Amino acid sequence: MSKVAAIIERCQALYEDLDFKAVQEWKNAAPKRKVVGYMPVYVPREIAHAAGILSVGILGGGDQLEVIQGDAYYQSYICRIPRSTIELGLTGKLDGFDGMLFPSICDVIRNLSGMWQILFKDKYVRYFDVPQNYEDNIGGTYYVHELEILRDDLAKLAGVEITNEKINRSIEVFNENRRVIRELYAYRAAKPWQAPTTEIYLLQRAGMVLPVEEHTQLLRDYLAATEAEPRQMRDNARVVINGTFCEQPPLNLIKSIEMAGCYVVDDDFMLVTRWLLDDVPSDGDALDNLSKAFLHHSASTSAKYETKREEKGQFLLQQVTERRAEGVVFACPSFCDPALLERPMLQDVLSAHGVPHTAFKYAENTGQMAPIREQAGTFADSIKLWSAA
Amino acid sequence: MTTPATAAMPASSKKPQVQKEDAMWLQKELINRNYQELATAHERGKKISATFVPGNLNELLMCFDFARSLPETNQLQNGMRKKSGKFIMDAERDGQSEDVCTYVKSDLGMMLNGQVGPTGDPLPRPDLLLLSYTGCFTFMKWFELIRQKFGGETVMLHVPYQGDGKINPNMRDYVVKQLKETVIPALEKVSGVKFDIDRLRQYMRESAKAEEDLVAVLQSAKNRPSPIDGYFGGVYYIGPIFTAFRGTPDASKFYGMLRSEIEQRVRDGKGPITPDGEMTSERYRLVVEGPPNWTSFRDFWKMFYEDGAVVVTSTYAKVGGLYDFGFRHDPDRPLESLAEYCMGCYTNLNLPQRIDMICKYIEEYQADGLLINSIKSCNSFSAGQLLILREVEKRTGKPAAFIETDLVDPRYFSAANVKNRLESYFQMIEQKRAAQH
Ligand code: SF4
Ligand code: SF4
């Protein structure tokens, strides 16, 4: 087996492991280790890391989990991720977790935080509210205080003190991880045939469960290994995927888009790893630095307010330009208000700039890929025709 | 959103009480007058603000002489007038997904159809979209969408959620600071009017008066029989105070009048007024969670009163302010009090708080059980309602039932379905009673 294949096989096994065995193994490896889960889109993982806590991204059950109990908690017109997450909880798959963080992204996740408080009374649960006001002395002050609460709660959970210095060290560790991920994304955009998105996706998923240091190393190994294994270049259309920031598309859907003739050159998968756009200073007041990074240097997504009309779509446009993308594929979870309400605004901006786009919906357990493959194929063909003309 | 209100009470076929007539007349006049004020605002040199019902800063907006539009109220009015179906489809044709909140689509559809409001008066584009972000994330997208399509300035008031079931000082300070440093300067800039805190205090004084009377009206349902319906009738009671009138002497007058009329009904031992006249036999007392359906509002209500079911209280009557546990706008701490108001609206409470509140209502209003009207459009209300149902049943031992409709999309109201569910629910209550005797 090639080196790349071995790395991807490992990631695939982590992705398929809905019992979080790797997490359990990490936990069992030393006494008193603690684990907290977090939902998409963003939580400051540095703080958990500074307490020695492993933070684990919970991204629903995908298409491998049969949801039985979870369906009894949600009406048919609510997206799937909360029901499969509840299923994971009720079937004991998250028993090894000591807590859960629910970021403020939408009303479904917000309300799920309260459901978790009721259903899992012995666990630490926090709804992590982030500011929609980006002034340092307003939203920043509020956010630093929220970070302090989280820091104190996690310190208590872990039974350690979380000093400023410890957080600064963790910031460095995460800066390193973010740097390698930026490198990985730049590499894919430069040579998409060498780094297919199914692989990038699995590598990123591995980052949801592995300790960050291990993940950083894994990405380095992958970059070296794939560069050493030349693959065939195709005449594919270069696209950005948008809308996938929360409930995840099935892996087959990503495969289908690629097989239909698209090179994905940017996306919004697992934004937590790319939320902060630059290195966060790792000296000085750590919480203040995390706050400033959040307020002034973070990714744009539907869950974040844009103060001016002119800002709308600029982040996506920049992705398109910098990655030399030829079009955008909007892939949004069914019943996802944040993604589906954002979409027309982004489409509007893209149209105004002559960027082609196409759109479809999915659920994490979508099984029928033929229509999506067909749509993505037609889109890729039209882009190629257009660029040939 | 969530929202209420300013629904005009359907006329009774029987001769209404004189006082009732007065309150109804006044309420209708208030609504119509507000639409006329909006229609003529620009001619009169006034600016128009749009803001959402939960956490609305009506007193503050009045300090800047804004004409005040409430998008959810406009859409529920359009729903009641059977206009929303077309608007929603127009918005979908314009690129909105079939999956998203229908209030948003109805609003966009209305704007696409030429800025005419529900009463037929022109409804000019707002000059300022005051995005007070209470209890629902969709609000944010709603105003971003309007801004994207039609222009206009937005100003954000981010109201933190009560994730821990309480308001901590950091949350309050954050809201106050935003009011001082972001919201008020933006209101001054757009309106050209300087902020006067004493004017705000005066409006808040009026608010507190009306709030006191509103609570008395809503709590009158603790009597047997209940003199009001706290959901269908409740919509009519909360109308003025949840919208453009809180803080006005008109609202105080309306609530004073309403309160004395209801107190008279209590003394007379009378039941609620329904569109078909007074309800004479009270067979079931229910607590309802979730907004009503507007497109078939009257038919929906009829399914209740025909069977002698009265809604003694509802969570929906608390979306634009939760007053029955003691909160009042406080002129002595104006900005802090506005912050607490915003954070205290019903959909800003966490799930355990919502469950506690419902259980308390069931006990205090001696209700037979809980009915949830789950709204397809509204994740803010709906996500988690099935757990609310289970928990409330478990804690109170009272039967609970679940129906599904939508706010303003007529495609999602199935009368036969709802009626069947309600009837089996009423039977369930009967069985429970029989088993207890
Ligand atoms: S998929 Fe969309 S609606 Fe569902 S939880 Fe995620 S952000 Fe919320
Ligand atoms: S989702 Fe609900 S609360 Fe939010 S705007 Fe729509 S109806 Fe209102």
Side-chain angles (χ1 to χ4, degrees):
Chain A
M1 186 189 291
S2 76
K3 255 190 167 173
V4 171
I7 292 171
I8 297 304
E9 192 182 63
R10 179 176 177 217
C11 295
Q12 176 110 22
L14 289 169
Y15 165 78
E16 283 168 4
D17 175 17
L18 292 172
D19 291 306
F20 297 94
K21 286 195 207 78
V23 172
Q24 202 54 52
E25 277 162 23
W26 178 89
K27 198 173 174 179
N28 296 341
K32 295 198 188 145
R33 280 190 166 177
K34 302 282 183 199
V35 175
V36 292
Y38 60 85
M39 298 281 295
V41 170
Y42 173 73
V43 293
R45 298 178 300 167
E46 291 84 348
I47 298 181
H49 185 266
I53 294 174
L54 181 67
S55 58
V56 176
I58 307 290
L59 299 165
D63 54 0
Q64 307 157 67
L65 182 75
E66 198 189 349
V67 173
I68 300 164
Q69 301 185 61
D71 274 343
Y73 289 87
Y74 284 102
Q75 303 88 314
S76 55
Y77 40 80
I78 291 177
C79 59
R80 285 201 60 89
I81 183 168
R83 65 190 79 216
S84 61
T85 304
I86 288 231
E87 186 81 19
L88 290 173
L90 293 176
T91 50
K93 296 186 187 332
L94 304 177
D95 283 358
F97 287 64
D98 303 284
M100 275 288 268
L101 304 176
F102 297 88
S104 55
I105 159 169
C106 75
D107 300 312
V108 174
I109 289 194
R110 185 195 72 175
N111 291 2
L112 182 58
S113 70
M115 295 171 74
W116 218 264
Q117 290 171 20
I118 293 165
L119 291 171
F120 305 101
K121 289 200 164 61
D122 55 330
K123 305 282 183 189
Y124 169 68
V125 177
R126 177 142 192 90
Y127 174 73
F128 185 69
D129 215 346
V130 294
Q132 301 286 3
N133 171 299
Y134 310 127
E135 301 293 327
D136 287 325
N137 69 329
I138 308 175
T141 306
Y142 166 74
Y143 189 51
V144 167
H145 199 273
E146 286 295 299
L147 291 172
E148 283 167 358
I149 296 177
L150 184 66
R151 178 196 61 196
D152 297 349
D153 285 356
L154 294 182
K156 207 164 128 210
L157 187 72
V160 297
E161 198 196 341
I162 307 182
T163 60
N164 189 57
E165 204 196 329
K166 281 188 189 169
I167 305 177
N168 271 332
R169 275 205 300 274
S170 298
I171 288 177
E172 265 172 33
V173 173
F174 278 90
N175 277 343
E176 190 57 23
N177 185 256
R178 283 186 282 263
R179 273 199 289 272
V180 182
I181 290 171
R182 283 202 294 273
E183 214 180 295
L184 180 71
Y185 269 63
Y187 181 82
R188 176 182 61 172
K191 297 182 184 175
W193 57 93
Q194 283 295 109
T197 291
T198 34
E199 293 181 7
I200 301 287
Y201 181 81
L202 288 169
L203 287 161
Q204 284 282 66
R205 283 293 294 249
M208 298 296 97
V209 289
L210 290 178
V212 59
E213 299 83 351
E214 226 179 291
H215 184 236
T216 304
Q217 190 54 48
L218 181 83
L219 300 180
R220 287 218 166 90
D221 294 346
Y222 173 83
L223 277 166
T226 192
E227 181 58 11
E229 286 177 27
R231 300 189 227 185
Q232 199 187 341
M233 186 176 155
R234 290 211 171 78
D235 179 28
N236 281 1
R238 297 168 65 89
V239 302
V240 172
I241 291 187
N242 185 279
T244 56
F245 49 83
C246 183
E247 180 173 320
Q248 297 297 290
L251 194 56
N252 271 338
L253 190 149
I254 303 170
K255 270 189 197 143
S256 297
I257 293 176
E258 294 197 293
M259 279 161 56
C262 295
Y263 278 142
V264 179
V265 291
D266 215 332
D267 56 59
D268 54 2
F269 299 135
M270 279 142 288
L271 273 181
V272 66
T273 64
R274 292 178 302 126
W275 183 255
L276 303 182
L277 300 172
D278 306 315
D279 281 359
V280 181
S282 55
D283 50 1
D285 185 333
L287 298 188
D288 196 49
N289 286 332
L290 282 172
S291 163
K292 290 203 165 76
F294 179 91
L295 296 176
H296 311 302
H297 306 281
S298 58
S300 164
T301 190
S302 173
K304 227 174 102 184
Y305 172 61
E306 253 142 3
T307 48
K308 295 216 157 29
R309 182 194 196 180
E310 303 76 59
E311 292 168 12
K312 187 56 78 189
Q314 294 311 306
F315 189 80
L316 178 59
L317 264 186
Q318 200 183 331
Q319 283 180 321
V320 169
T321 321
E322 283 179 3
R323 306 290 196 208
R324 292 181 294 108
E326 298 159 290
V328 173
V329 173
F330 289 99
C332 303
S334 295
F335 305 110
C336 174
D337 266 25
L340 292 167
L341 288 165
E342 185 79 1
R343 190 175 72 186
M345 293 185 270
L346 298 178
Q347 286 172 324
D348 196 35
V349 175
L350 293 179
S351 298
H353 287 80
V355 180
H357 47 85
T358 189
F360 52 79
K361 292 188 295 185
Y362 64 83
E364 62 179 8
N365 63 342
T366 297
Q368 243 322 335
M369 293 304 156
I372 288 172
R373 194 163 1 180
E374 203 171 304
Q375 192 179 336
T378 312
F379 183 61
D381 290 346
S382 74
I383 285 178
K384 279 184 273 176
L385 261 177
W386 184 250
S387 57
Chain B
M1 111 100 283
T2 31
T3 19
T6 40
M9 180 77 147
S12 164
S13 60
K14 294 193 183 158
K15 207 169 179 279
Q17 298 271 311
V18 175
Q19 280 170 323
K20 182 75 181 180
E21 233 182 6
D22 284 351
M24 280 169 66
W25 178 84
L26 183 55
Q27 198 234 23
K28 254 191 180 157
E29 192 208 291
L30 289 175
I31 299 169
N32 289 337
R33 200 198 314 146
N34 195 52
Y35 278 115
Q36 278 151 20
E37 277 179 16
L38 286 164
T40 57
H42 287 157
E43 288 153 36
R44 292 180 294 112
K46 301 243 168 184
K47 299 288 184 188
I48 299 175
S49 65
T51 197
F52 297 109
V53 168
N56 76 73
L57 300 172
N58 199 53
E59 298 87 348
L60 191 65
L61 287 166
M62 288 199 294
C63 294
F64 301 91
D65 299 328
F66 277 103
R68 299 168 306 280
S69 173
L70 291 112
E72 309 107 297
T73 305
N74 299 338
Q75 296 329 311
L76 80 83
Q77 290 282 349
N78 281 330
M80 286 183 133
R81 290 167 162 88
K82 315 274 182 222
K83 294 178 177 177
S84 54
K86 177 185 176 337
F87 291 160
I88 290 167
M89 287 201 279
D90 287 346
E92 288 177 1
R93 264 192 293 274
D94 192 51
Q96 299 299 324
S97 163
E98 65 269 31
D99 289 357
V100 302
C101 170
T102 50
Y103 264 176
V104 180
K105 285 186 285 190
S106 184
D107 197 29
L108 288 168
M110 182 187 78
M111 296 183 94
L112 288 169
N113 276 279
Q115 323 273 324
V116 177
T119 51
D121 292 307
L123 192 54
R125 284 182 201 164
D127 301 286
L128 182 79
L129 302 162
L130 171 55
L131 177 43
S132 75
Y133 184 36
T134 310
C136 167
F137 279 79
T138 295
F139 288 144
M140 186 165 90
K141 297 293 112 187
W142 187 340
F143 274 180
E144 282 186 351
L145 275 160
I146 291 185
R147 185 181 66 185
Q148 183 75 19
K149 206 151 188 76
F150 304 102
E153 200 170 318
T154 53
V155 58
M156 155 72 83
L157 176 69
H158 175 214
V159 176
Y161 180 62
Q162 294 199 38
D164 289 341
K166 57 181 190 293
I167 297 172
N168 70 38
N170 180 46
M171 292 157 72
R172 189 174 40 237
D173 293 349
Y174 174 45
V175 179
V176 168
K177 242 198 233 174
Q178 290 179 81
L179 288 172
K180 276 190 191 152
E181 295 182 34
T182 311
V183 176
I184 291 174
L187 299 179
E188 282 184 328
K189 194 177 120 222
V190 174
S191 68
V193 177
K194 200 149 175 37
F195 177 54
D196 172 0
I197 199 156
D198 290 327
R199 208 172 150 189
L200 178 63
R201 288 183 210 276
Q202 180 50 34
Y203 292 139
M204 290 175 83
R205 231 165 261 133
E206 287 291 341
S207 299
K209 250 194 268 171
E211 285 154 8
E212 202 62 35
D213 287 338
L214 171 74
V215 170
V217 168
L218 295 178
Q219 292 189 340
S220 70
K222 291 182 182 174
N223 289 287
R224 269 177 192 269
S226 168
I228 62 161
D229 185 287
Y231 186 50
F232 299 103
V235 161
Y236 148 76
Y237 305 133
I238 58 182
I241 205 162
F242 279 12
T243 60
F245 303 98
R246 200 183 59 233
T248 64
D250 280 341
S252 303
K253 187 170 155 205
F254 171 77
Y255 285 100
M257 196 186 267
L258 186 64
R259 179 177 183 170
S260 43
E261 183 224 308
I262 300 297
E263 284 173 349
Q264 187 57 45
R265 296 190 72 75
V266 174
R267 283 192 290 276
D268 296 345
K270 288 183 169 170
I273 298 271
T274 74
D276 287 326
E278 190 178 302
M279 211 174 125
T280 44
S281 114
E282 178 187 285
R283 291 173 63 199
Y284 311 108
R285 294 168 65 85
L286 308 178
V287 171
V288 172
E289 143 78 13
N293 163 273
W294 300 113
T295 47
S296 302
F297 186 79
R298 235 180 119 152
D299 294 341
F300 190 27
W301 189 356
K302 195 169 183 180
M303 292 178 199
F304 288 72
Y305 64 74
E306 257 182 1
D307 277 322
V310 60
V311 180
V312 282
T313 192
S314 62
T315 56
Y316 184 66
K318 316 294 150 51
V319 286
L322 192 56
Y323 300 110
D324 48 353
F325 300 113
F327 172 82
R328 299 287 178 272
H329 280 84
D330 179 358
D332 295 331
R333 308 159 52 243
L335 299 182
E336 290 76 5
S337 167
L338 283 181
E340 284 159 9
Y341 157 72
C342 290
M343 288 186 284
C345 290
Y346 177 68
T347 47
N348 207 49
L349 306 184
N350 73 2
L351 261 268
Q353 287 174 293
R354 281 169 66 184
I355 292 168
D356 286 347
M357 181 171 144
I358 292 169
C359 291
K360 207 165 172 188
Y361 279 164
I362 290 182
E363 196 194 315
E364 287 182 358
Y365 287 77
Q366 299 171 52
D368 294 301
L370 169 70
L371 177 77
I372 295 182
N373 182 32
S374 183
I375 295 293
K376 178 184 179 287
S377 269
C378 180
N379 285 344
S380 174
F381 256 103
S382 303
Q385 277 176 331
L386 285 161
L387 179 64
I388 293 182
L389 178 128
R390 287 178 185 209
E391 285 291 306
V392 170
E393 270 191 327
K394 196 165 86 189
R395 279 168 53 177
T396 63
K398 305 272 177 165
F402 206 79
I403 52 176
E404 296 178 333
T405 69
D406 189 59
L407 292 161
V408 286
D409 193 334
R411 293 172 294 189
Y412 298 110
F413 186 82
S414 159
N417 234 322
V418 172
K419 185 140 184 72
N420 273 343
R421 291 258 183 134
L422 281 178
E423 276 173 2
S424 33
Y425 181 48
F426 297 147
Q427 276 171 19
M428 205 153 94
I429 295 176
E430 293 288 0
Q431 280 161 9
K432 190 107 190 170
R433 279 183 190 156
Q436 276 163 357
H437 288 120

